[in-house]
Amino acid sequence: MAQFGDFTVDRNSTKYVLGSGGTIISYATDEPAFEFNADGSYKGLLVEPAATNICLQSEDITTTWSPFNATIAANATTAPDGTTTADELRANTTSQTYVVQQNYPPDPSANHTFSVFAKKDELNYIQLSFANTSQQYANFDLDLGVVGTKGSWAASSTIEDYGNGWYRCSVHINVGSIPSFGIAIVPSASASWRQAVSAGSSSEGIFVWGAQLETGPIATSYIPTTTASVTRNKDDITLGSASSLIGQTEGTLYVEVDWRLASGTIQRLITVSDGTNANRIGIYRFATSLYMSAYANNASLTSQGVSSTGFSGIQKIAFAYKTDDFELYRNGSSVSSDTSGSLAALATLTDIDLGQYYDALYQANMWIRAVQIIPRRLSDEQLIELTS
């Protein structure tokens, strides 16, 4: 049986996630990044693809950023990482919108996600926008921790609790159709589109920290910047020479994840293989479905699953395989089965890739809480118990 401690992590960069003590902490090069929820409960091993934060001065909006009818108080309160580096963005007039922004040329081939950590002060609301168009924005309520109104071009938006009053707000849009764009942070007195603050509130504001602009469908783990963009490398988590741990003629793959949808991408949860595409068995998400998949000598034995559009939170998933007997279980129930397919031509499987494909691509982009590689096909009763 293979478990977390058996795997090797290859990530040639530091990674920042929320620690058990309620602050963002760093994991050094090649260390697995275990993250926790804001209440201190365990969330899981965060396995992500590479990402680049192209937003400069992510923790200092007093430089590079351009205030418009606003003032900035530097280092005004404790940031999510426990340092006194969070700035306060304040209105200095009561008749216009208050914005700080940076301008970028677009990448016509990519969607972008803009995220910021924010905390209420006198004002309860923040807006994030791509400033060159009126419909690429989302508003957030920092008191209730919910998303407010958003523009019609905003594909998605999220708000995540980071504890101590801090929320990570993000908005995802496609900027490829415009010649340039700016990112803007707007303090507001309501959760509606660019509302000016109320009369007599020229000193009111919000706390902000940790701005991030990246290509892709979601906000990945925080990447701090100063005067240049910074790349966090992918998590490459593997176990080689593991043929004795892998069921060669029958077996069961089990993963427990805290689900995060990264739309438009393939998310590989676990793969066992001979190091090639020709012989492999795995669990993955693609398009709108969760799949079980098995290939022997380049021939597909099974590739089917269940719709995953409603998945959220903790998911317990097992794929049991044997010649003419393939079954996918989720949260205590069988969700897909296939009774045709011979493993006779399967080459010896030697490699286990956790949260990725055999070639170290298609990272899960979610939290893996537990994993088991069992060299036999568990009974249906055992699979129900394992995934319940």
Side-chain angles (χ1 to χ4, degrees):
M1 180 186 299
Q3 302 191 39
F4 274 152
D6 300 320
F7 288 85
T8 297
V9 179
D10 183 9
R11 185 195 63 252
N12 296 319
S13 56
T14 303
K15 186 163 181 168
Y16 298 84
V17 298
L18 188 61
S20 60
T23 60
I24 291 177
I25 62 173
S26 64
Y27 283 93
T29 295
D30 299 340
E31 285 187 351
F34 295 99
E35 187 157 32
F36 293 79
N37 295 298
D39 63 3
S41 60
Y42 178 61
K43 194 168 185 67
L45 172 67
L46 182 55
V47 184
E48 297 177 298
T52 300
N53 185 3
I54 63 174
C55 178
L56 308 184
Q57 300 294 351
S58 63
E59 299 174 13
D60 184 4
I61 63 172
T62 67
T63 181
T64 301
W65 295 77
S66 301
F68 176 76
N69 285 339
T71 57
I72 302 164
N75 303 328
T77 195
T78 304
D81 68 348
T83 63
T84 308
T85 54
D87 300 336
E88 184 169 23
L89 177 60
R90 296 172 178 165
N92 63 10
T93 179
T94 59
S95 60
Q96 299 183 53
T97 302
Y98 313 101
V99 181
V100 293
Q101 66 179 30
Q102 298 184 41
N103 292 309
Y104 301 91
D107 177 351
S109 65
N111 294 340
H112 287 71
T113 298
F114 175 33
S115 59
V116 171
F117 293 88
K119 181 178 181 177
K120 72 174 184 178
D121 192 15
E122 297 89 0
L123 297 178
N124 295 345
Y125 306 97
I126 186 175
Q127 179 186 103
L128 303 183
S129 74
F130 291 77
N132 286 30
T133 175
S134 63
Q135 288 302 313
Q136 295 179 332
Y137 72 91
N139 293 292
F140 305 89
D141 186 327
L142 301 177
D143 188 32
L144 299 178
V146 297
V147 177
T149 59
K150 65 179 183 177
S152 59
W153 291 5
S156 61
S157 53
T158 62
I159 186 167
E160 300 173 82
D161 185 2
Y162 270 71
N164 301 310
W166 283 100
Y167 292 92
R168 194 183 193 192
C169 308
S170 71
V171 58
H172 164 60
I173 58 108
N174 183 0
V175 299
S177 60
I178 58 177
S180 65
F181 66 92
I183 54 173
I185 305 171
V186 185
S188 179
S190 79
S192 300
W193 164 241
R194 292 200 175 187
Q195 294 290 316
V197 298
S198 59
S201 58
S202 60
S203 64
E204 294 183 349
I206 52 170
F207 299 113
V208 294
W209 183 86
Q212 186 154 311
L213 178 63
E214 60 194 302
T215 59
I218 60 173
T220 62
S221 59
Y222 175 54
I223 306 168
T225 66
T226 53
T227 58
S229 62
V230 175
T231 297
R232 182 204 61 247
N233 293 329
K234 65 185 178 183
D235 295 292
D236 182 2
I237 304 178
T238 61
L239 177 60
S241 302
S243 59
S244 63
L245 301 175
I246 302 169
Q248 303 294 333
T249 58
E250 63 174 285
T252 302
L253 307 181
Y254 171 76
V255 290
E256 179 184 327
V257 302
D258 194 325
W259 190 266
R260 178 167 73 172
L261 179 63
S263 59
T265 66
I266 300 173
Q267 295 172 272
R268 296 277 177 177
L269 306 188
I270 189 168
T271 308
V272 295
S273 73
D274 65 347
T276 75
N277 190 60
N279 297 281
R280 52 187 166 84
I281 297 172
I283 303 170
Y284 69 99
R285 187 210 66 86
F286 176 63
T288 59
S289 295
L290 174 73
Y291 287 92
M292 59 179 179
S293 176
Y295 277 73
N297 194 25
N298 276 319
S300 175
L301 307 183
T302 189
S303 183
Q304 62 184 50
V306 64
S307 172
S308 60
T309 55
F311 289 10
S312 64
I314 295 173
Q315 306 293 314
K316 298 181 178 182
I317 304 162
F319 173 23
Y321 60 91
K322 188 177 181 179
T323 291
D324 298 333
D325 185 7
F326 303 95
E327 196 149 12
L328 184 66
Y329 273 78
R330 169 186 169 256
N331 293 352
S333 299
S334 173
V335 293
S336 185
S337 61
D338 191 345
T339 57
S340 176
S342 174
L343 292 167
L346 185 69
T348 300
L349 305 177
T350 56
D351 297 350
I352 304 171
D353 284 270
L354 183 59
Q356 64 180 13
Y357 205 26
Y358 77 95
D359 54 2
L361 297 176
Y362 305 118
Q363 274 71 24
N365 224 347
M366 63 178 74
W367 297 267
I368 298 179
R369 295 169 52 86
V371 59
Q372 290 187 39
I373 315 294
I374 304 167
R376 59 187 177 88
R377 197 259 193 230
L378 296 183
S379 68
D380 291 342
E381 292 77 12
Q382 289 171 319
L383 290 164
I384 291 171
E385 182 179 359
L386 180 64
T387 60
S388 294

